[in-house]
Amino acid sequence: MVPKADLPCAIFVPQVGHQAGADKLSKSKKVLEAAGQGSIDYRVDANSNIALVRWLDNGLVKLVSSFVGIGNGNPVKRWSANKKIDVLCHQIVHEYNKHMEGVDLCDMLMALYCIKLRTRKWYMHIVYYCIGVAIVAIRKKCFAFAEVPK
């Protein structure tokens, strides 16, 4: 078995088509929906310590991680139809949400301040992307975003 320190640490959201083999091992979406919101199905590879998790929130969430497993579930409030209910949110989902906040904000601002220049040179798209990320970083640093009071 490989020591934990030598493993790459990541939480990965598989894209459509990349999880075909994993879908055969896991419970189907219909089975998870029958169990209700917050139901979970997971598999852990004993050799590589990689966890595959399928969690039913409002939709099906698939996560693969070599960093964290499901751990203990903490109750969180989620919308179901027109009211909030308590749903168990496991450690892998909590870690993913905690670390994706800045990435989601960057993606939103990149879409908001996108550079729309047409070119046939493939490398110019990379240059435009880097300029866009720099603009978003400067905008975020210079203008503090006001947090919405709860």
Side-chain angles (χ1 to χ4, degrees):
M1 186 164 164
V2 179
K4 201 82 155 142
D6 294 343
L7 288 175
C9 298
I11 298 177
F12 171 68
V13 179
Q15 296 176 351
V16 175
H18 292 201
Q19 72 273 7
D23 283 343
K24 295 175 185 173
L25 296 173
S26 302
K27 294 179 185 174
S28 69
K29 185 177 179 181
K30 289 183 181 180
V31 172
L32 290 173
E33 285 175 346
Q37 190 173 1
S39 58
I40 190 166
D41 180 36
Y42 66 95
R43 303 284 185 263
V44 178
D45 182 31
N47 296 330
S48 59
N49 260 354
I50 294 177
L52 166 71
V53 177
R54 292 171 61 125
W55 180 60
L56 186 72
D57 191 19
N58 290 328
L60 189 62
V61 178
K62 301 173 188 177
L63 298 167
V64 179
S65 175
S66 62
F67 171 61
V68 65
I70 62 164
N72 295 330
N74 297 327
V76 294
K77 297 276 188 189
R78 297 284 192 207
W79 283 101
S80 176
N82 56 359
K83 61 179 179 171
K84 282 193 171 187
I85 60 170
D86 283 331
V87 174
L88 248 88
C89 180
H90 293 275
Q91 188 177 4
I92 186 171
V93 179
H94 175 71
E95 288 290 324
Y96 176 77
N97 288 337
K98 183 170 79 173
H99 295 293
M100 284 302 290
E101 181 180 351
V103 175
D104 291 339
L105 178 64
C106 182
D107 287 344
M108 182 198 71
L109 292 174
M110 286 287 294
L112 191 62
Y113 303 113
C114 66
I115 299 172
K116 293 184 181 177
L117 296 174
R118 293 177 57 184
T119 182
R120 290 183 181 209
K121 310 280 189 222
W122 65 268
Y123 53 84
M124 290 307 293
H125 294 286
I126 297 171
V127 171
Y128 295 152
Y129 179 80
C130 292
I131 291 170
V133 169
I135 290 170
V136 166
I138 290 169
R139 176 128 178 116
K140 186 176 179 187
K141 186 172 178 121
C142 293
F143 305 105
F145 291 104
E147 293 203 15
V148 179
K150 292 183 179 181

